[in-house]
């Protein structure tokens, strides 16, 4: 039989089907199922009094950092971006009269929060959790009209998940050896978890949001050479916050993903 482009493509497609089915057939591990359940239940799970108090402190600290950031170069660039691309007017840029869409607000408020380095930090995970998690939660909360209690629980979940990801990777040692930015990765997962909590995602959808966070995980330590601090505010905060809100919005309206991104072929832990 003569080999043509059509027959070659048919043969390749036939060979690829068993491989795709084999990869898709891997069931989620008990660990990721437990984690998805834990994340999904966070919105209804009461926090201990001391955690509530600490979460309030982190939210207020980040809001204060956003306000001071409005007068600094990264914050001014971010505000100019919001003014130039307002689009949907549902979410607030802190410290201003600007309204924009939730995705844009998350990014802009993230940049504001990390403009002057007064945002919080967490040494064991080599991260600055608040500057991305709080903006992502605020933007998602305005989009979905959530109340303050749910918003606070979402922030706490974001801190819980984001910091544990980079602690698992190795925190500072990981950043030094891999050249990846642990700050960006922690913020990416933390913001996704928080926004997913606000959006009311179910356990499977929470596993998918971890998948989306894995696909969006980025950032290299070259931010240390950014003398204007604008790129750094994006790497640490603006982009992770934007990514988390984007993932939550997409999954909430029907987006799907891989059921267990932490195990199986080509998983997050193998890639990072």
């Amino acid at each position: 039989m003569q080999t043509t482009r059509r027959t070659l493509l048919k043969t390749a497609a036939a060979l690829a089907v068993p491989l795709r089915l084999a990869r898709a057939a891997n069931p989620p591990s008990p660990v990721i199922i437990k984690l998805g359940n834990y994340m999904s239940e966070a919105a209804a799970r009461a926090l201990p009094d001391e955690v509530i108090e600490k979460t309030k402190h982190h939210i207020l600290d980040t809001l204060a950092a956003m306000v001071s950031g409005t007068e600094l170069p990264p914050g001014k660039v971010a505000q100019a971006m919001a003014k130039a691309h307002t689009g949907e007017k549902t979410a607030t840029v802190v410290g201003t009269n600007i309204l924009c869409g939730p995705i844009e607000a998350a990014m802009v408020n993230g940049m504001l929060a990390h403009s002057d380095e007064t945002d919080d930090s967490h040494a064991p995970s080599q991260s600055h959790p608040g500057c991305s998690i709080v903006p992502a939660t605020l933007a998602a909360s305005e989009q979905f009209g959530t109340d303050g209690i749910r918003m606070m629980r979402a922030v706490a979940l974001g801190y819980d998940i984001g910091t544990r990801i980079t602690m698992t990777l190795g925190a500072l040692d990981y950043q030094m050896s891999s050249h990846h930015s642990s700050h960006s990765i922690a913020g990416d997962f933390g913001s996704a978890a928080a926004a997913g909590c606000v959006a009311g995602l179910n356990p499977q959808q929470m596993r998918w949001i971890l998948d989306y966070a894995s696909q969006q995980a980025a950032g290299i330590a070259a931010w240390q050479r950014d003398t204007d601090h604008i790129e750094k505010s994006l790497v640490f905060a603006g982009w992770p916050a934007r990514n988390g809100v984007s993932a939550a919005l997409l999954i909430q309206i029907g987006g799907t993903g891989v059921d267990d991104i932490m195990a199986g072929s080509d998983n997050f832990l193998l890639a990072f």
Side-chain angles (χ1 to χ4, degrees):
M1 181 181 69
Q2 182 181 4
T3 301
T4 64
R5 182 173 179 272
R6 183 185 297 271
T7 58
L8 185 61
L9 289 174
K10 285 183 177 180
T11 302
L15 290 173
V17 168
L19 178 60
R20 288 201 304 271
L21 290 175
R23 288 184 172 180
N26 292 331
S29 71
V31 173
I32 202 71
I33 289 175
K34 186 174 182 178
L35 179 57
N37 291 341
Y38 174 80
M39 292 171 66
S40 182
E41 293 164 0
R45 186 168 51 240
L47 296 171
D49 290 342
E50 61 271 24
V51 176
I52 292 173
E53 190 70 14
K54 189 67 173 177
T55 303
K56 289 178 179 178
H57 289 168
H58 283 287
I59 293 171
L60 289 171
D61 177 76
T62 306
L63 285 169
M66 291 181 202
V67 172
S68 64
T70 60
E71 299 300 319
L72 295 171
K76 290 181 178 179
V77 170
Q79 290 172 72
M81 168 78 174
K83 288 177 181 177
H85 304 282
T86 51
E88 185 183 2
K89 298 179 184 295
T90 58
T92 306
V93 175
V94 173
T96 76
N97 61 359
I98 302 170
L99 291 175
C100 54
I103 296 171
E104 293 84 0
M107 187 184 80
V108 172
N109 284 329
M111 292 182 70
L112 293 178
H114 193 61
S115 287
D116 67 356
E117 296 275 9
T118 58
D119 54 296
D120 59 22
S121 63
H122 183 248
S125 63
Q126 189 69 5
S127 70
H128 285 229
C131 61
S132 63
I133 293 168
V134 173
T137 308
L138 289 174
S141 295
E142 287 194 282
Q143 176 68 23
F144 292 107
T146 192
D147 59 33
I149 293 175
R150 190 187 188 103
M151 187 192 80
M152 189 163 49
R153 291 171 180 173
V155 170
L157 178 68
Y159 275 69
D160 193 4
I161 299 300
T163 56
R164 291 179 190 277
I165 291 292
T166 48
M167 289 170 71
T168 299
L169 293 175
L172 179 59
D173 290 341
Y174 168 76
Q175 178 166 288
M176 295 296 289
S177 62
S178 71
H179 308 288
H180 289 299
S181 174
S182 58
H183 305 83
S184 177
I185 295 170
D188 203 57
F189 279 89
S191 298
C197 180
V198 172
L201 301 187
N202 65 37
Q204 185 177 42
Q205 289 174 320
M206 282 297 196
R207 299 200 299 271
W208 291 341
I209 210 166
L210 292 174
D211 174 35
Y212 282 27
S214 298
Q215 294 289 7
Q216 296 183 100
I220 56 177
W223 56 258
Q224 295 172 97
R225 294 190 273 126
D226 170 32
T227 57
D228 291 332
H229 203 73
I230 292 171
E231 177 185 347
K232 186 169 183 279
S233 71
L234 280 164
V235 174
F236 276 49
W239 283 327
R242 176 203 65 185
N243 291 348
V245 172
S246 299
L249 292 177
L250 186 57
I251 292 172
Q252 195 268 340
I253 62 169
T256 61
V258 173
D259 268 334
D260 189 351
I261 196 58
M262 298 298 172
S265 58
D266 305 318
N267 68 67
F268 172 78
L269 297 174
L270 287 176
F272 285 81

